[in-house]
Amino acid sequence: INDATGAGYTLKLHEVVALGEGKETIGKARVVVSVNGKLFQGEGLSFDTHEASARAYLDALSKVTGS
């Protein structure tokens, strides 16, 4: 995502938890990125953990840019 956006942010935390049990459960991802010493948190939900992680990272980036 950093390559695609041109962002040079540092990932400080990445965690994914299941919000239930079984194959059809939703994954919740949380990330924290560091930008010039400030921390920004993002969260994402999806049935696919990779998608949830991407959503969380983009959520954090949107907070950096104030969008």
Side-chain angles (χ1 to χ4, degrees):
I1 293 175
N2 274 350
D3 290 342
T5 62
Y9 308 137
T10 303
L11 182 65
K12 293 292 193 178
L13 173 77
H14 173 242
E15 63 184 10
V16 179
V17 295
L19 300 180
E21 295 183 19
K23 290 174 65 176
E24 298 299 319
T25 191
I26 293 176
K28 178 180 180 180
R30 184 170 78 96
V31 300
V32 176
V33 296
S34 175
V35 180
N36 299 324
K38 288 184 155 185
L39 299 178
F40 297 87
Q41 178 177 297
E43 294 184 347
L45 298 171
S46 178
F47 288 106
D48 179 277
T49 57
H50 291 105
E51 181 180 338
S53 296
R55 287 177 180 268
Y57 197 83
L58 292 172
D59 182 43
L61 294 187
S62 72
K63 292 173 182 173
V64 171
T65 61
S67 302

